[in-house]
Amino acid sequence: MTSIKKQVEETFEYLHRHPEISWEEVETTKYIRDILEENDCEVTTFEDCTGVIGKFGDFEKGLPVVAVRADMDALWQEVDGKFQPNHSCGHDAHMAMVLGVLWKLREQPELADKVAVKLIFQPAEEKGAGALKMIEQGVIDDVDYLFGIHLRPGQETSLGRATPVIVHGATKMIVGEIKGHDAHGARPHLNINSIEVGVQIVNMIRQIHLDPRIPHSVKMTQFQAGGKNVNIVPGNATFSLDLRAQNNQLMEELTRKVEEILSSLQSFYKTEINITHTHGIVAAENHQEAVGIMRQSIADVLGEQQVDEPLLTPGGDDFHYYSVNKPSLKATMVGLGCDLGPGLHHPAMTFNQEALINGAEILHRAILNTYQLEQTSR
């Protein structure tokens, strides 16, 4: 009989070899759906998007519903000179660990009427939109507790350790345009040079001063102006800004400051500056009861000395849309030590696969601890 550890590792290897980008996780959805059905789960898929939900246990007795979420999508990035889907953020590992939770629950058939567990396999985390789509589909309407997991880089924690909560920050991307007209290089007085406007945007956003006790930043990450001729003063340009803040309140303040700068420069230069697109991810809104359950679960599996303090990171995850949109939800995300390197989103990212079973066991233990059930060895 194949051990759960072996099943998790083999599942990870399959998913790693078959990455699919955001909203295109079609084969991944089918693969996971088949596993859920084989393990007697009630399965839900969606007509208008990828993703799949499995239910294990008794949802008729009024038990609290505990959900475990895994993200499914890969990144589109250059690997060895070729652009392709690539699981360099660990979502293949997250899916394998959550399936491991199901296999561990199935080891204890007596749990079938003592738990109500929902396994959420969510698309499009890398787009920051998959969680919102699952919310729209009503996936968390009946959920009381929500647990997630994410591999962590080696510089944050090591193999055999874990943190019960990742305190992600908020992110926002602002795409804008400067609209004017071109002028001859000999007559710069006849237009507004969009490059000079871009320089002023950079200078002024660097002078934003907010509460220094809360991490935050804003920077220009793209700027395009001009064409092939160097004797034209360009009046048009496009630009992108990357905003980060450790909490949602400061992100609102930072966004307002940026918008005021763009408005003032538009007035000063008598040109048109428009925001054409914004998207982002909210900061973590974790629940202390959920964090406490996860802290105890890590200690149960790895040992009390292997529990890390809460992990503060400027990175983001759309997992937090669930708790922001449903404040009563008791949610937290585990940060799993796995000696990951060189780093998340690096095309050659690797990690120690011994951590996979650690993650599955921690999430499984968290479910049992939520219901205050004992684990039996079989």
Side-chain angles (χ1 to χ4, degrees):
M1 183 177 178
T2 305
S3 70
I4 290 177
K5 181 176 184 294
K6 185 70 171 175
Q7 282 181 283
V8 171
E9 290 172 349
E10 290 176 350
T11 300
F12 164 75
E13 292 293 348
Y14 173 86
L15 292 167
H16 188 72
R17 293 194 307 270
H18 298 84
E20 295 177 298
I21 60 174
S22 303
W23 302 125
E24 297 181 20
E25 310 95 328
V26 175
E27 295 304 317
T28 305
T29 296
K30 291 177 182 177
Y31 175 79
I32 294 173
R33 179 199 64 197
D34 290 347
I35 293 175
L36 295 173
E37 289 177 346
E38 289 166 5
N39 285 273
D40 300 325
C41 287
E42 179 185 331
V43 176
T44 302
T45 55
F46 309 99
E47 292 184 0
D48 61 344
C49 69
T50 47
V52 57
I53 312 300
K55 286 183 175 181
F56 174 88
D58 193 333
F59 283 74
E60 302 299 325
K61 291 176 66 174
L63 295 167
V65 176
V66 179
V68 185
R69 174 268 205 174
D71 30 21
M72 302 169 66
D73 53 331
L75 291 157
W76 180 259
Q77 65 183 157
E78 187 175 357
V79 182
D80 297 327
K82 178 185 176 183
F83 276 92
Q84 63 187 59
N86 187 42
H87 272 302
S88 58
C89 201
H91 297 182
D92 44 1
H94 304 163
M95 289 183 281
M97 288 186 283
V98 171
L99 287 171
V101 172
L102 172 60
W103 292 321
K104 289 190 70 65
L105 289 170
R106 292 270 291 163
E107 276 192 322
Q108 292 180 256
E110 69 275 12
L111 292 179
D113 64 349
K114 297 186 175 98
V115 301
V117 177
K118 185 176 282 191
L119 306 171
I120 301 173
F121 294 88
Q122 176 212 300
E125 188 280 328
E126 297 295 352
K127 295 289 187 183
L132 291 171
K133 186 64 176 178
M134 294 295 97
I135 292 167
E136 177 188 315
Q137 298 283 6
V139 167
I140 63 164
D141 286 356
D142 62 344
V143 175
D144 299 289
Y145 295 84
L146 177 65
F147 301 128
I149 194 164
H150 207 298
L151 304 182
R152 301 318 303 167
Q155 61 266 36
E156 291 183 354
T157 191
S158 56
L159 180 67
R161 303 187 64 85
T163 176
V165 55
I166 304 175
V167 188
H168 284 109
T171 68
K172 181 171 287 188
M173 310 301 159
I174 294 177
V175 180
E177 63 180 7
I178 301 165
K179 296 192 70 174
H181 59 271
D182 293 347
H184 194 288
R187 300 172 181 84
H189 62 292
L190 296 180
N191 82 332
I192 299 300
N193 188 335
S194 62
I195 296 175
E196 294 178 357
V197 178
V199 169
Q200 288 303 317
I201 294 173
V202 172
N203 287 338
M204 292 186 72
I205 63 175
R206 291 175 64 185
Q207 296 175 49
I208 294 174
H209 298 294
L210 302 178
D211 190 337
R213 298 169 299 174
I214 305 173
H216 62 277
S217 68
V218 55
K219 74 291 294 183
M220 185 174 285
T221 54
Q222 290 181 329
F223 191 86
Q224 300 289 331
K228 293 184 178 180
N229 295 94
V230 298
N231 61 343
I232 294 176
V233 179
N236 297 295
T238 60
F239 62 90
S240 297
L241 303 175
D242 177 293
L243 287 67
R244 308 270 166 167
Q246 199 57 55
N247 63 44
N248 294 315
Q249 293 72 31
L250 199 72
M251 175 57 78
E252 292 178 5
E253 190 174 351
L254 185 59
T255 301
R256 185 170 61 253
K257 291 284 189 182
V258 169
E259 291 172 346
E260 289 171 354
I261 286 170
L262 298 180
S263 178
S264 66
L265 288 174
Q266 177 174 260
S267 298
F268 181 80
Y269 281 103
K270 302 296 189 291
T271 190
E272 193 175 337
I273 304 176
N274 299 317
I275 294 175
T276 58
H277 181 67
T278 63
H279 67 277
I281 299 175
V282 294
E285 298 282 353
N286 299 295
H287 194 281
Q288 288 310 303
E289 182 182 343
V291 173
I293 291 169
M294 196 57 69
R295 179 181 295 278
Q296 183 59 54
S297 302
I298 295 169
D300 292 344
V301 173
L302 301 179
E304 187 68 41
Q305 299 305 312
Q306 304 306 105
V307 182
D308 285 343
E309 292 303 308
L311 175 62
L312 193 73
T313 171
D317 196 295
D318 76 349
F319 176 85
H320 304 296
Y321 276 119
Y322 293 113
S323 50
V324 167
N325 281 269
K326 186 177 181 180
S328 64
L329 189 65
K330 300 171 182 179
T332 191
M333 176 178 280
V334 183
L336 184 66
C338 58
D339 292 344
L340 184 151
L344 291 167
H345 289 208
H346 189 287
M349 184 275 278
T350 60
F351 67 96
N352 191 323
Q353 294 181 30
E354 292 294 318
L356 290 169
I357 193 62
N358 291 346
E361 289 179 347
I362 290 167
L363 292 173
H364 172 253
R365 185 69 244 182
I367 292 169
L368 299 187
N369 284 343
T370 302
Y371 292 106
Q372 298 183 340
L373 297 170
E374 293 300 319
Q375 181 171 355
T376 61
S377 56
R378 302 180 68 82

